[in-house]
């Protein structure tokens, strides 16, 4: 593998690491690390570990992160389809773990796809406050939406915009901002050698210029007193200490904060930036010191007093006939949503985040949680709604064991035969669960479950 790495990259790393360089090279011959992050919005770490069929070892820098063995294949397990965990490279778990998000915060993940960090930020909000997850690429924004929905996050606004357009309509709007910036990707070389093949000496400078534009807009969207976490998955100084130096020089309202230390974390190097001694507060994760591919992290605060965010929702109230259909569906259960945040657009029903109605001109993929669709004389619930519920919130539960063949058949979109007494309610909509965790909906008629798992989500095998 080392032979395939760019020569200029290796020469620079040798100059950077000195005596550690040989250990750095050896890390490329070590096995790749695989990571799984438990979705605490759906299950506690303790409960998941009781149920887990995998071989898990703790990731030290995050409470809900674990290494797993490649043979475990967690992406094939039905728990993945129920959103109980997200598969993420271990060092990439650090940024969202370090940014101190709390329920009620308004949070922005500015470069969010495919959603590894955004889903953790959303989980820590616990349904309170608001998550704006932005991705400039339309195709990647769709993948981001899928992961947000899979994880059951119901207070999100998924945007597809350049940062300057967001900054225009959301000045000083967010309590917390995460900028996992596009970068030259040097920390991805061991995981994906194709990334190394696209690298050349000009890429770090190209991305550094892009990063500085992005962080400038991010800072303008951060409230006084708010926190911004900047991260990359590259080793290039110009993209790391260099970009933080740019922030400190051009935005005097921003100050660099200390980050909790973990064994193996390396401090930033002032000489790789503008010489400011506070650059030591940055963190570098090197693959020869930590069981991860590599990351750079810096936590900054905007000076001032942080005031709480205010709710700002002004939905168009659904017509009486629409409410009638919705109420017929909700009647057997306690409504798990605030009625004043439910809106109907083109017969589609959404549950809006607490502030989402004054962003004219912003391109978005999804505003809030898609609850379902109004059709002739009925309301048809959505897959995202199923994944945002818990089994005790819906009256008609069909609970299957993760070891049952029917779970796999359900995920393939097949019709299921239901034995007498298996379903709590003998007809109508059923929330299909695996070991008590929702997978999706089906409709029971004469002990036959008509599968409502979305075609685009179904497994082929």
């Amino acid at each position: 593998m080392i032979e395939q790495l760019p020569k200029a990259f290796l020469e620079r790393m040798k100059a950077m690491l000195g005596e550690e360089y040989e250990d750095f090279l050896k890390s490329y011959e070590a096995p790749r690390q695989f990571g799984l992050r438990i979705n605490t919005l759906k299950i506690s770490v303790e409960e998941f570990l009781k149920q887990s069929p995998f071989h898990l070892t703790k990731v030290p820098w995050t409470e809900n992160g674990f290494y797993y063995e490649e043979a475990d294949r967690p992406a094939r397990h039905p728990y993945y389809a129920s959103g109980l965990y997200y598969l993420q490279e271990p060092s990439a778990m650090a940024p969202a773990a370090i940014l101190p998000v709390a329920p009620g915060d308004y949070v922005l993940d500015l470069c969010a796809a495919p959603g590894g960090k955004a889903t953790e930020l959303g989980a820590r909000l616990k349904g309170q406050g608001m998550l704006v997850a932005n991705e400039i690429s339309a195709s990647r924004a769709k993948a981001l939406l899928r992961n947000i929905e899979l994880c059951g996050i119901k207070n999100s606004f998924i945007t597809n915009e350049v940062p300057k357009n967001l900054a225009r309509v959301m000045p000083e709007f967010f309590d917390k901002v995460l900028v996992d910036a596009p970068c030259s990707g040097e920390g991805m070389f061991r995981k994906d050698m194709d990334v190394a093949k696209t690298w050349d000496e000009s890429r770090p400078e190209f991305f550094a210029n892009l990063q500085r534009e992005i962080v400038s807009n991010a800072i303008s969207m951060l409230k006084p007193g708010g926190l911004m976490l900047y991260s990359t998955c590259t080793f290039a100084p110009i993209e790391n200490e260099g970009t933080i130096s740019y922030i400190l020089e051009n935005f005097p309202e921003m100050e660099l904060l200390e980050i909790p230390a973990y064994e193996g974390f390396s401090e930033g190097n002032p000489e790789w930036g503008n010489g400011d001694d506070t650059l030591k507060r940055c963190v570098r994760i090197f693959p020869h010191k930590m069981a991860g591919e590599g990351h750079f992290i810096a936590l900054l605060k905007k000076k001032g007093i942080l005031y709480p965010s205010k709710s700002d929702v002004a939905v168009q109230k659904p017509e009486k006939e629409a409410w009638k259909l919705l109420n017929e569906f909700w009647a057997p259960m306690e409504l798990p949503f605030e009625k004043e945040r439910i809106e109907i657009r083109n017969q589609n029903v959404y549950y809006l985040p607490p502030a989402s109605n004054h962003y004219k001109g912003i391109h978005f993929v999804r505003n809030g949680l898609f609850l379902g669709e109004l059709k002739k004389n009925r309301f048809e619930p959505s897959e995202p709604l199923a994944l945002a519920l818990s089994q005790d919130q819906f009256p008609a539960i069909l609970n299957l064991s993760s070891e049952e063949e029917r779970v796999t058949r359900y995920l393939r979109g097949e019709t299921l035969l239901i034995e007498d007494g298996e379903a709590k309610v003998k007809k109508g909509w059923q929330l299909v669960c695996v070991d008590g965790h929702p997978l999706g909906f089906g409709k029971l008629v004469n002990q036959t479950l008509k599968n409502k798992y979305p075609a685009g989500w179904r497994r082929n095998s």
Side-chain angles (χ1 to χ4, degrees):
M1 178 179 285
I2 295 173
E3 294 77 17
Q4 301 178 59
L5 295 174
K7 183 178 179 181
F9 164 72
L10 292 175
E11 289 175 349
R12 195 198 70 221
M13 294 306 300
K14 185 175 183 178
M16 288 173 61
L17 295 175
E19 294 179 355
E20 296 180 17
Y21 177 66
E22 291 302 322
D23 289 335
F24 176 76
L25 288 184
K26 289 178 184 177
S27 72
Y28 283 86
E29 304 302 328
R32 175 185 160 191
Q33 301 290 336
F34 296 89
L36 173 157
R37 196 195 69 249
I38 297 167
N39 179 10
T40 55
L41 189 61
K42 287 177 173 276
I43 190 170
S44 70
V45 172
E46 295 74 20
E47 286 301 312
F48 180 79
L49 293 179
K50 291 177 184 177
Q51 299 181 15
S52 169
F54 312 127
H55 304 86
L56 301 180
T57 306
K58 188 79 172 62
V59 173
W61 49 87
T62 178
E63 294 180 356
N64 55 329
F66 293 83
Y67 301 98
Y68 68 87
E69 297 180 7
E70 186 174 4
D72 286 330
R73 301 185 69 198
R76 301 300 304 166
H77 197 280
Y79 288 170
Y80 179 80
S82 67
L84 294 192
Y85 49 81
Y86 186 97
L87 303 182
Q88 187 175 28
E89 191 277 310
S91 61
M93 297 179 189
I98 289 169
L99 183 62
V101 168
D105 283 343
Y106 282 21
V107 180
L108 169 66
D109 187 345
L110 191 52
C111 312
K117 299 171 180 68
T119 50
E120 171 64 6
L121 298 175
R124 288 164 63 193
L125 287 175
K126 300 185 185 301
Q128 302 172 47
M130 179 176 179
L131 171 68
V132 176
N134 180 68
E135 174 55 46
I136 190 171
S137 163
S139 60
R140 284 169 55 83
K142 291 178 181 177
L144 168 64
L145 172 62
R146 165 78 181 269
N147 285 321
I148 292 287
E149 291 176 336
L150 187 64
C151 289
I153 297 167
K154 56 190 178 186
N155 54 333
S156 64
F157 183 31
I158 313 301
T159 57
N160 173 215
E161 269 294 358
V162 295
K164 69 178 181 180
N165 285 347
L166 286 179
R168 175 176 52 82
V169 297
M170 298 182 179
E172 296 190 342
F173 185 82
F174 296 100
D175 303 283
K176 312 286 167 59
V177 174
L178 190 147
V179 181
D180 186 48
C183 67
S184 56
E186 296 167 1
M188 301 289 287
F189 288 177
R190 183 171 67 165
K191 179 180 176 182
D192 185 357
M193 191 52 65
D194 287 341
V195 178
K197 293 175 182 177
T198 65
W199 188 93
D200 63 50
E201 291 181 74
S202 68
R203 287 178 73 79
E205 183 175 1
F206 167 82
F207 281 106
N209 290 329
L210 179 59
Q211 290 154 5
R212 293 168 195 198
E213 179 184 351
I214 290 171
V215 297
S216 298
N217 286 297
I219 291 168
S220 74
M221 288 186 276
L222 185 65
K223 292 179 184 178
L227 300 178
M228 182 180 86
L229 191 136
Y230 174 85
S231 64
T232 73
C233 60
T234 197
F235 304 120
I238 192 174
E239 300 179 67
N240 295 328
E241 287 91 347
T243 294
I244 300 304
S245 296
Y246 170 83
I247 293 173
L248 297 177
E249 291 170 359
N250 291 276
F251 299 91
E253 69 271 29
M254 300 298 290
E255 55 183 332
L256 199 53
L257 303 183
E258 297 277 1
I259 291 175
Y262 294 92
E263 184 179 355
F265 273 16
S266 301
E267 62 183 21
N269 189 332
E271 295 180 4
W272 295 344
N274 64 359
D276 189 327
D277 197 56
T278 61
L279 290 172
K280 292 180 180 179
R281 296 175 181 175
C282 301
V283 163
R284 282 180 169 269
I285 299 177
F286 285 112
H288 64 289
K289 291 187 172 184
M290 306 287 286
E293 302 301 321
H295 239 71
F296 173 89
I297 306 164
L299 182 63
L300 301 105
K301 181 177 180 179
K302 194 174 196 178
K303 296 173 185 176
I305 299 173
L306 183 63
Y307 292 101
S309 299
K310 295 181 180 179
S311 178
D312 181 16
V313 181
V315 305
Q316 292 182 347
K317 293 184 178 180
E319 296 177 357
K320 288 184 178 180
E321 185 61 29
W323 267 123
K324 179 182 177 183
L325 296 178
L326 288 172
N327 286 331
E328 286 176 357
F329 180 84
W330 299 120
M333 58 186 291
E334 183 177 343
L335 184 65
F337 306 107
E338 299 173 26
K339 277 191 173 183
E340 61 271 19
R341 286 166 54 185
I342 293 176
E343 182 173 77
I344 299 174
R345 299 192 299 270
N346 299 321
Q347 301 303 108
N348 293 322
V349 186
Y350 299 93
Y351 181 59
L352 303 185
S356 56
N357 287 281
H358 58 281
Y359 309 130
K360 292 183 179 179
I362 291 297
H363 293 95
F364 65 90
V365 181
R366 179 63 48 77
N367 183 9
L369 176 68
F370 175 46
L371 298 179
E373 187 178 359
L374 292 173
K375 296 189 175 181
K376 187 177 180 180
N377 299 322
R378 73 183 190 276
F379 168 71
E380 189 160 308
S382 72
E383 178 65 18
L385 171 59
L387 291 167
L389 295 172
S390 59
Q391 66 168 338
D392 59 355
Q393 290 178 311
F394 199 79
I397 300 296
L398 178 62
N399 194 23
L400 306 177
S401 167
S402 58
E403 298 178 359
E404 280 191 65
E405 180 192 5
R406 286 187 300 175
V407 173
T408 302
R409 290 176 55 206
Y410 175 78
L411 294 174
R412 289 175 182 162
E414 298 177 16
T415 298
L416 303 183
L417 295 177
I418 307 303
E419 296 180 9
D420 189 32
E422 273 194 292
K424 294 180 180 179
V425 178
K426 293 185 178 181
K427 65 178 181 179
W429 288 105
Q430 306 285 319
L431 184 62
V432 181
C433 298
V434 55
D435 296 339
H437 306 291
L439 284 173
F441 284 110
K443 203 162 190 179
L444 189 59
V445 180
N446 297 327
Q447 294 184 256
T448 298
L449 186 80
K450 295 182 178 181
N451 200 318
K452 298 296 182 178
Y453 199 64
W457 291 40
R458 293 174 185 174
R459 293 183 176 178
N460 297 322
S461 59

